[in-house]
Amino acid sequence: MKSLKPRILRFESLPSTNTELARQASEGAGEGLSILADEQTAGRGRLQRAWSSPRGAGLYFSILLQPAIAPDRWPLIVFVAALAVGDALSEACGVDTDIKWPNDLLSGERKICGILAESVETPTGRAVIVGIGINLTAEAYPAEIAAVATSVAEASGRPPERETLLAALLRALPRWYSLLHEDDGAGKIVAAWTSRSSYAEGKAVQVANGDEVWQGITRGLESDGALRLETTDGIKIVRAGDVSVRPRIEE
Ligand code: BTN
C-alpha cells in the first residue's frame, strides 16, 4: 500500500509553486514535498494560460507525486486531485462542486478551482507535479471572467479559512492517491469522478484543442479517463482539450 505523507514548504511569494517544485524535484526532492505560496507572480494554468494569483485571495499549492502505477493510469492523477479538492471543499467549507472534464471544479457552474499537472524528470525517475489553485475570494480572478468564476467566499457565504481547507486537502489527497495504487482503484476513481460530474454523460459540449473543435454529447469516460464524445461522425475519444457547454443555436 502506497502511503503519501505531504511535507509543506511555505513561501510568501513565488513566480509559481509548480515551477519552484519542479526545480526542487529535479534536484532530488522526494514524493510528498508540497509548496504553498501566499501569492504567485507568474501563476500558470492549463493550455499555456496565466493563473491570476493575488496575495491572500487564493490557495496556491503544488505537490510532488511519484506513483508506482502502470503508465496507462498516470492520466488519472488529475482525477485523484479533483476528487480530493471536491472532498476538501465540501468538508472544510460546505461547498458542493461539479467537475468539468478533466479537472476543473465548479460551483454553481462557475469555476472555483483549477488543476495543472506537469510531468518532471527527477534523479529517481519520472514524477508529476500537481498544482492546485482554489479561488478563496473574488479578488482571486480578474473582473472580466466574473461571469464564469467564483470563490469559496461567494459559494459558502462566509470568510474562507485557507488553513482549514488546506488541512482537509492534505487528508483527502492521500486517501485517493492510495486508492490509485490498488488493483481495482482505477475503476473506482473513474466511477467516483463520473458520479460527481454533470459533464460525464449526456451533456452537449464543445471541445477545443488548438485549432481543432468538436461538438457532441458526452458519453462517459474510458478506463484511462479520456472523454467519450458522440459526434455526427461517431464516437471520438478526447484526451486533451477545453470543454465548454455547447453554445445554444438561435432559431
Ligand atoms: C487551470 O488552468 O485551470 C489550472 C490552474 C492551476 C493553478 C495552480 S495555482 C498553484 C499551481 N502553480 C501554478 O503556477 N499553477 C498551479
Side-chain angles (χ1 to χ4, degrees):
M1 181 60 53
K2 180 100 160 163
S3 117
L4 176 66
K5 296 197 172 54
R7 301 172 305 285
I8 300 198
L9 293 180
R10 290 166 181 268
F11 291 78
E12 278 188 11
S13 180
L14 280 175
S16 155
T17 55
N18 266 35
T19 307
E20 173 60 20
L21 190 51
R23 189 188 67 73
Q24 297 208 21
S26 68
E27 290 178 356
E31 175 167 78
L33 185 68
S34 303
I35 293 195
L36 182 78
D38 296 340
E39 72 167 0
Q40 299 183 116
T41 54
R44 296 183 286 108
R46 290 176 64 233
L47 309 171
Q48 274 79 50
R49 295 190 184 121
W51 185 259
S52 158
S53 313
R55 181 175 297 268
L59 186 151
Y60 315 118
F61 170 87
S62 301
I63 185 164
L64 180 62
L65 301 176
Q66 199 159 26
I69 53 175
D72 64 342
R73 281 195 185 191
W74 280 62
L76 297 179
I77 293 169
V78 291
F79 284 29
V80 162
L83 289 164
V85 174
D87 283 355
L89 284 168
S90 170
E91 274 171 37
C93 314
V95 172
D96 289 332
T97 47
D98 187 10
I99 316 176
K100 180 161 79 76
W101 189 89
N103 50 20
D104 282 352
L105 275 286
L106 310 180
S107 167
E109 299 183 12
R110 297 194 289 162
K111 181 160 165 175
I112 195 166
C113 168
I115 296 167
L116 174 66
E118 297 179 301
S119 107
V120 61
E121 281 307 320
T122 78
T124 53
R126 188 176 161 222
V128 62
I129 288 164
V130 177
I132 296 172
I134 303 176
N135 299 331
L136 294 177
T137 67
E139 284 69 43
Y141 51 82
E144 54 273 23
I145 62 162
V148 292
T150 191
S151 65
V152 172
E154 293 162 280
S156 68
R158 52 181 206 245
E161 290 177 20
R162 185 184 72 167
E163 293 305 314
T164 310
L165 178 56
L166 177 64
L169 180 60
L170 294 177
R171 286 192 299 273
L173 268 172
R175 283 199 300 265
W176 288 106
Y177 189 61
S178 145
L179 181 58
L180 183 65
H181 289 79
E182 287 176 16
D183 287 345
D184 55 354
K188 287 182 175 166
I189 286 168
V190 170
W193 188 99
T194 301
S195 74
R196 293 188 189 187
S197 173
S198 73
Y199 283 75
E201 181 72 54
K203 190 117 167 166
V205 297
Q206 174 167 297
V207 184
N209 188 13
D211 291 340
E212 291 187 295
V213 178
W214 306 286
Q215 297 202 335
I217 310 289
T218 60
R219 293 288 180 229
L221 301 182
E222 296 283 288
S223 60
D224 65 355
L227 181 67
R228 294 166 57 83
L229 186 70
E230 184 181 342
T231 70
T232 47
D233 296 332
I235 295 284
K236 173 159 186 57
I237 307 297
V238 180
R239 297 195 186 276
D242 213 13
V243 170
S244 52
V245 175
R246 199 155 79 199
R248 217 184 288 264
I249 315 255
E250 297 300 331
E251 297 180 66

